[in-house]
Amino acid sequence: MEGTQYIAMTGMMASANILDVTANNLANASSTAFKAERAAYRAVPFFYQGLPNRVDTVAQKNGVDWQEGPIEQTGRALDVAVNGPGFFVVQDAGGTKAYSRDGNLDINAHGMLVNAQGQAVLGAGGVPIFVPPNANVRIASDGTVSVVPDTPNSQAANVGQILVVNPNPSNLQIAGAGEFVPITGAVSMKNAIPANLIPGALEGSNVNPVSCMVHMISDARLFQWETQAEQSIAANQKDAETIPTNL
């Protein structure tokens, strides 16, 4: 592929991915504790016979906007928002762990405290928290989970304490919607901090829908310009091929 057309092609691919990232951010403007993603690229020169003759647009690890989202009061007993820095540690059925700030919790059929994706929310010691059946569950600001059996004259009992850890966000990468894992290595629970939760509330998405719409319009125009440039270069090359070589 001729150099100028290659440059236009890589730019078109980059702008298409940027548009996809922006669209995904907008789609998650109302998702609990969602963090906006930022597409990242860098230009890498290609050399031929010792001289640069083209530039490739190389995708980098997407960045994350770590700004906290707004706290939204829900009044629901199993909703908790992390107040300030920190993440919950969640674990799927296969044992894979991740970090999350989504505090939309529930109790599954086995009595386990889980998040909206059905992953176990780990407590102190890195173990799941279980709740006895027919009990009213309360979560305190320090993460303590207590239950009151639905029987006369029952006393509240603590069944666990939600684990909150504070890894360095710059060392994390996106693992799914609202979930993160370390760039290298397994999820660690060594950076535990005192839980500072807001019961009966959820952290909202940090995506600004209006700003995101403006970026989407700009990204769409950039993709259009890159597409037109690639088409123009291809047309010029085709026309050049019809020029007689003996003139």
Side-chain angles (χ1 to χ4, degrees), residues 32-45:
T32 304
F34 181 82
K35 303 302 179 190
E37 194 174 354
R38 299 287 183 262
Y41 290 86
R42 66 186 178 96
V44 177

Side-chain angles (χ1 to χ4, degrees), residues 11-54:
M12 184 174 64
M13 292 176 61
S15 59
N17 185 66
I18 292 172
L19 185 59
D20 287 342
V21 170
T22 304
N24 182 65
N25 288 340
L26 186 60
N28 285 280
S30 59
S31 297
T32 304
F34 181 82
K35 303 302 179 190
E37 194 174 354
R38 299 287 183 262
Y41 290 86
R42 66 186 178 96
V44 177
F46 274 49
F47 292 83
Y48 178 71
Q49 294 183 345
L51 298 174
N53 71 335
R54 67 182 64 175

